[in-house]
Amino acid sequence: MDEGYVKFVPIWTGGKPLSAERLKELIQWRQRFYGLGLIGMYDDGVGFGNISERLEKESQQFIISGTATGGVKQITPNEFTLITRSDMGMNTVWCTGPVNASSETMTHAAVYDSDSSINAVIHVHSLPFWKGILNNLPTTSPNAAYGTPEMAREIMRLFKDDRAMVWDKRIIAMGGHESGILSFGRSLADAGTVLANEFNRFSKRQRIIH
Ligand SMILES: [Zn+2]
């Protein structure tokens, strides 16, 4: 798996972390999915999973967990950065904060660009969960790899072609990114709850089968 490599051009300006108060909910949801093993680190030391929130309603800017933070046991404001601008055509992301942006920032940006009422995006990894929802829930093309402009375009296509279904489920399986799953919502609680509930349903089914 080629997870962890940044496939866009990141223009990172170091800066102070955002306040713990502002990041409180992001940290809580990140810790919840870390606890479930959906955000974490592979044996080879490569981190996976990331979480973001629009800075404020209608803003083009969003806060996202930084690159290589998947394995951090207790995340802090030092592991978040502010995306001040993203340009899919230029495949470039500008960020400011104590850490460089996640390698999947462009995918998050595509979700925010797809619908201005989306305020939170969560990306997790689980091979069995991914296999369980692949092509059952909205799924991106197997030809679009993680972190690429193709993946960003695929996300936007799903919102355009299948808007009602995508909004109904609020979970997207990333067909060309094995194990990769996205959820989104009008708030962090919205995106987090829909994902946690789906994972819970999946886990229950697994227990019945085995
Ligand atoms: Zn991923």
Side-chain angles (χ1 to χ4, degrees):
M1 194 183 294
D2 62 355
E3 181 75 10
Y5 294 94
V6 175
K7 291 186 176 173
F8 55 83
V9 182
I11 300 179
W12 173 34
T13 313
K16 280 192 192 142
L18 289 148
S19 76
E21 188 52 36
R22 176 64 188 83
L23 299 174
K24 198 174 152 196
E25 226 192 324
L26 270 164
I27 290 173
Q28 281 172 353
W29 280 105
R30 188 276 182 189
Q31 290 307 114
R32 179 152 177 202
F33 287 109
Y34 181 85
L36 291 170
L38 296 175
I39 293 177
M41 192 172 76
Y42 292 114
D43 292 341
D44 62 3
V46 175
F48 60 85
N50 34 69
I51 183 164
S52 71
E53 184 180 24
R54 207 186 278 277
L55 183 62
E56 51 192 42
K57 283 200 166 96
E58 307 290 333
S59 172
Q60 299 297 313
Q61 305 190 336
F62 59 93
I63 305 162
I64 191 165
S65 51
T67 185
T69 62
V72 177
K73 201 169 174 190
Q74 174 62 59
I75 208 164
T76 74
N78 287 319
E79 280 85 46
F80 286 90
T81 195
L82 178 66
I83 305 301
T84 52
R85 193 185 152 203
S86 58
D87 189 315
M88 216 183 292
M90 290 171 71
N91 199 26
T92 302
V93 159
W94 288 259
C95 70
T96 177
V99 66
N100 204 348
S102 156
S103 59
E104 270 160 319
T105 297
M106 196 61 90
T107 307
H108 288 246
V111 179
Y112 291 118
D113 281 356
S114 296
D115 192 318
S116 63
S117 68
I118 293 172
N119 291 308
V121 179
I122 303 172
H123 172 59
V124 297
H125 280 199
S126 161
L127 186 56
F129 184 26
W130 178 80
K131 281 181 176 165
I133 64 169
L134 194 68
N135 299 316
N136 293 320
L137 293 183
T139 300
T140 56
S141 161
N143 299 319
Y146 106 90
T148 58
E150 289 73 30
M151 176 64 82
R153 277 192 282 274
E154 265 296 292
I155 301 278
M156 300 191 83
R157 181 193 62 77
L158 273 184
F159 274 93
K160 217 169 137 233
D161 293 357
D162 226 347
R163 186 181 181 77
M165 171 68 142
V166 171
W167 263 106
D168 182 46
K169 301 299 181 191
R170 277 168 281 158
I171 294 177
I172 296 171
M174 300 164 86
H177 174 23
E178 194 178 83
S179 303
I181 298 159
L182 279 172
S183 78
F184 66 90
R186 292 195 165 83
S187 65
L188 273 169
D190 190 18
T193 303
V194 79
L195 185 59
N197 287 347
E198 188 67 34
F199 183 64
N200 194 22
R201 266 197 299 276
F202 165 78
S203 302
K204 272 189 188 145
R205 273 201 308 273
Q206 291 297 99
R207 280 198 292 276
I208 291 163
I209 294 163
H210 296 293

